Structure formats: C-alpha cells, structure tokens
Amino acid sequence: MRVVFGEHFDQGAWPGPLAGRDAAYDEAWVGPLGLLGLLETALGLSAPHDVSEAERAASIVPALRNCAGPWSRSMEGEADHLAVARAVLRLRDALVLAGLPILGDVHPDIGPRLTAFLEVARGARAGLPERIDAVVRAARSRPIDVERIDVVDEAPWPALQTALDALASAGVVMAKRAIVPCEARGDLAGARAGPFSPVGDGTLQLLRGDCVEESAFAAAAHLASIIEEEGAASVVI
C-alpha cells in the first residue's frame, strides 16, 4: 500500500488518488486520524474509536480521589470531580502527544511530579495517545503491508512522528512530497498577492449570508446552476 499523508487530509484531499486517472488501487490520502486508523488496521490492532472525553475522564476519577498529588485539593468538598479529571486528562494527553513517554517507558529524569501525573491517568480508557503508543510498539515487532508513505506535512504531534520513525525503521519508505498549487488566473490568481483589485471575471466569488444555513442554501443553489455546464469546476472554501 502507498499512503500520502497531509495534516489536513482527514477532511478530504485534492487532487487525491484519482488525479489524472479513472481508478486507483492500494493508495490512500489521509490525515493524522486517518493514518492512525489505517496503521491500526494494517498492524492488526483494535481500539474503541467512539470513547468520549467524558467517559475517559470518568475512568480516572477513582484514582484522583485516592492518590495524593497536586490535584488532591481540587477533589475536596463539593468540587466537580469530573471537571478536574477532564482537566488532568487533557494536560496529560497534551504532554504525551508532545513527546512525554507513557508510563512504562518513563525516564527518571522527568521527576516525581510528572511521574505521579502520568501514573494517575494510567487507568484511563484508551484515547489518542494510547492508540499511537500501541502503533509504535506494534511497528517494532510486526510486519506491516505499507510500502511507502509520502509526507506532505510534518506530523502535528511528536508522538505521531515517533510512529512514523518506527515505520521507517521497519522498512517503510518515507518520502517528502510537495503539492503543486492549482494554476489560477484572473481574480483567483490576483487574490494570492496584494494589492488586490478584483475585476469581476467570475474566477473568484464572495458569498455573504445572514447565517450559515442561508449561506449553505445559496451556495448549493449556485453550484446546482453551474454543475451541468461542460468543464465547469468549483472549489468551495
């Protein structure tokens, strides 16, 4: 399999695997979450993808109540225990995604406070950090049916970059890929540089509405009116 990875490709990518051809096989254009899901499948991993933040936070409330730590006073009295757990888990997830290893690989130099911080969230239901960590571990010991990953953007989290590095060590080819900007003309080209004085040639149109719903209806009606024209194409932002 060949993969094209871009930070914003989870919402779709252009031109995508069908660029210049009518069909594509064994190629995927994915963003961070799409890449993670693809790697989990290729490595034979399974993880619940529908666990909510509230469920994950609730899973560490008992540990927060029973452990001494910098958050202990926040769990006293009539405090919102779920809100405290959510704040702890968000900070812990951010630290792990930024490169702090999940407990089990923790270096003693991080100190007792950070160690305790990771320990209290150890029993949390699996989230993004745990899923990436599982991919890293599996990539070091299992074969994976991915031949090449073309990287358009750097990984948004160091933890995901660690996963890409593990794949590279396992023999997956990593290659930089530049996306060539679409050729533009008229107002569409002029809008990319300043000063911009539109001439109204139709290549760039601004739509204003009183609300998102009204704008959506107007955009849909406009696209429906031009979609039948031969060679007509639009990019909606």
Side-chain angles (χ1 to χ4, degrees):
M1 170 177 282
R2 179 177 177 179
V3 178
V4 180
F5 169 73
E7 183 176 356
H8 306 289
F9 286 2
D10 278 330
Q11 304 303 319
W14 184 92
L18 293 180
R21 49 190 168 178
D22 296 325
Y25 175 73
D26 218 23
E27 180 176 331
W29 288 46
V30 293
L33 297 181
L35 177 65
L36 181 57
L38 185 151
L39 295 177
E40 286 174 328
T41 300
L43 289 166
L45 300 173
S46 62
H49 299 174
D50 57 349
V51 178
S52 68
E53 183 184 48
E55 289 175 297
R56 294 188 67 226
S59 68
I60 67 169
V61 167
L64 286 170
R65 287 173 176 163
N66 298 325
C67 292
W71 52 80
S72 57
R73 294 187 61 184
S74 299
M75 299 295 288
E76 297 175 356
E78 298 181 358
D80 187 340
H81 294 180
L82 189 61
V84 174
R86 184 183 291 113
V88 168
L89 196 58
R90 282 177 178 172
L91 180 55
R92 175 264 186 185
D93 285 356
L95 290 171
V96 174
L97 289 174
L100 191 67
I102 291 178
L103 195 64
D105 292 333
V106 173
H107 193 281
D109 287 346
I110 71 171
R113 286 174 63 87
L114 279 180
T115 299
F117 196 78
L118 292 176
E119 175 66 30
V120 78
R122 191 174 188 178
R125 296 190 63 177
L128 194 58
E130 287 78 16
R131 292 174 59 193
I132 295 176
D133 184 65
V135 166
V136 172
R137 294 174 184 274
R140 292 170 177 166
S141 59
R142 303 182 190 179
I144 182 170
D145 187 22
V146 175
E147 298 176 1
R148 176 187 176 105
I149 299 180
D150 290 346
V151 180
V152 176
D153 302 307
E154 297 293 334
W157 315 298
L160 186 58
Q161 184 59 51
T162 300
L164 294 177
D165 293 341
L167 293 171
S169 298
V172 178
V173 176
M174 297 287 170
K176 286 283 188 179
R177 176 166 179 166
I179 296 296
V180 179
C182 177
E183 182 181 353
R185 56 184 173 80
D187 283 344
L188 184 57
R192 295 178 173 177
F196 174 45
S197 298
V199 298
D201 61 2
T203 59
L204 182 67
Q205 299 184 48
L206 173 64
L207 175 66
R208 281 201 179 106
D210 291 333
C211 63
V212 173
E213 184 179 43
E214 179 184 321
S215 299
F217 285 142
H222 174 66
L223 290 174
S225 69
I226 65 173
I227 201 66
E228 299 298 330
E229 295 181 17
E230 185 176 355
S234 294
V235 176
V236 180
I237 301 174

